[in-house]
Amino acid sequence: MELLSTNVCFEGEHRRYRHTAAALGCTMEFAVYLPPAAVGRNPRPVPALYWLSGLTCNDQNFMQKAGAQKQAARLGMAIVCPDTSPRGLGLPGEDDSYDFGTGAGFYINATEQPWAPHYRMYDYVVKELPQLVEDQLLLTDKRAISGHSMGGHGALICALKNPGRYASVSAFAPIANPSECPWGQKAFTGYLGTDRSRWEEWDATLLIPTARERLPLLVDQGTSDEFLDSQLNPDVLADACEKMHHHINLRMHRGYDHSYFFIASFIDDHLNHHAEALGLR
């Protein structure tokens, strides 16, 4: 890992790294916040929250806008922020739109060309990146996962598809049923093809009935989110959970939108949710 920058923050360190990602076949950048417990005079390994960002974002949006470091420092929790897609591959169409290609990897493993060799963000987030940071930084193998919008979708599917890998999961305004919304249908058609049966393993709502582990879901959603009805559809996820007795705490927040102002308002609740599961509270 090549260290690109480091900033002291609440007695911990915010770092940015670059490395060659085998799963993606390209160079990737990511960010890590290490709390004081992991960088102080007597450093020790700490558990980590993996944060997955949304469309058009990279590793820097959450770290600069969410205001999560203060509470993470208090709790002794690291935060790992990957990018949202491979970048600079020169694939045809990768930069044509904001919701497909660059900045829009959707945290799945593509099967269609020319995306299949590189757009494998699921493997990168679930396997390669955790192994890398746990080997080279003071991080334990206790993990939590969360995210926003496209990243909320990513967090939900990563947890649902990997029983025992994460202690907890949460999401802000997730794309809860991507098979049935324009963002998801565009991405899934491009990355996975037109056979909708191949989409089912990447859709949180469709994974709920067969989930082998039923981690409680914490989902926050703003009522003034411009994408609520057309793209996000949290009520469909909640209905699926209710039918399967899968605990979900869907909190609707009056007047809040899709922005990082919303995330910053409730991020401490999510950090506390994960801290309990990680044994930090």
Side-chain angles (χ1 to χ4, degrees):
M1 302 188 325
E2 175 191 357
L3 181 64
L4 300 177
S5 64
T6 181
N7 304 92
V8 175
C9 184
F10 295 105
E11 304 302 321
E13 290 185 28
H14 167 261
R15 301 177 183 175
R16 297 192 69 239
Y17 289 98
R18 178 186 295 129
H19 77 118
T20 299
L24 309 175
C26 67
T27 298
M28 293 291 284
E29 296 179 358
F30 66 93
V32 180
Y33 177 69
L34 294 172
V39 296
R41 188 168 298 174
N42 297 299
R44 57 176 173 79
V46 297
L49 170 67
Y50 288 79
W51 174 269
L52 308 184
S53 293
L55 290 167
T56 75
C57 292
N58 57 31
D59 67 279
Q60 299 185 70
N61 298 76
F62 178 83
M63 289 298 196
Q64 295 182 9
K65 296 180 179 180
Q69 292 92 338
K70 186 173 184 178
Q71 185 66 358
R74 289 172 175 162
L75 294 168
M77 179 190 300
I79 303 174
V80 180
C81 291
D83 204 343
T84 53
S85 77
R87 294 183 186 267
L89 294 171
L91 300 178
E94 71 177 355
D95 296 321
D96 287 355
S97 58
Y98 79 95
D99 55 356
F100 185 80
T102 300
F106 266 81
Y107 305 103
I108 65 175
N109 287 338
T111 56
E112 296 295 295
Q113 297 298 329
W115 314 101
H118 301 286
Y119 274 66
R120 304 184 64 81
M121 288 297 294
Y122 174 79
D123 279 355
Y124 177 69
V125 165
V126 172
K127 301 173 185 177
E128 183 173 0
L129 185 59
Q131 181 177 351
L132 178 71
V133 295
E134 288 168 15
D135 284 349
Q136 299 199 32
L137 300 174
L138 281 179
L139 300 182
T140 72
D141 62 359
K142 288 187 174 181
R143 312 172 197 94
I145 193 163
S146 186
H148 171 230
S149 194
M150 177 184 73
H153 141 78
L156 293 173
I157 63 168
C158 288
L160 289 166
K161 289 166 67 68
N162 293 278
R165 188 159 185 83
Y166 303 98
S168 52
V169 59
S170 70
F172 286 85
I175 304 174
N177 187 199
S179 298
E180 301 299 334
C181 76
W183 278 342
Q185 290 169 349
K186 179 177 180 177
F188 285 5
T189 299
Y191 296 138
L192 303 173
T194 57
D195 181 355
R196 291 177 64 98
S197 67
R198 294 162 64 186
W199 300 4
E200 294 177 7
E201 65 172 309
W202 307 108
D203 186 314
T205 295
L206 302 181
L207 288 170
I208 289 292
T210 58
R212 289 181 290 144
E213 180 183 46
R214 300 210 173 273
L215 290 178
L217 309 183
L218 171 60
V219 177
D220 278 348
Q221 174 65 60
T223 62
S224 294
D225 189 322
E226 62 184 298
F227 305 113
L228 175 57
D229 295 328
S230 60
Q231 303 282 9
L232 306 178
N233 301 312
D235 55 320
V236 180
L237 175 65
D239 288 345
C241 288
E242 183 176 356
K243 289 176 183 175
M244 300 307 301
H245 306 288
H246 191 130
H247 180 74
I248 183 171
N249 183 9
L250 173 58
R251 308 193 307 180
M252 302 298 295
H253 299 279
R254 182 179 178 85
Y256 284 89
D257 58 20
H258 200 70
S259 71
Y260 267 85
F261 294 107
F262 169 50
I263 296 170
S265 299
F266 300 102
I267 190 62
D268 283 4
D269 290 351
H270 285 244
L271 295 176
N272 293 336
H273 167 78
H274 296 297
E276 286 220 19
L278 293 167
L280 297 173
R281 290 174 63 96

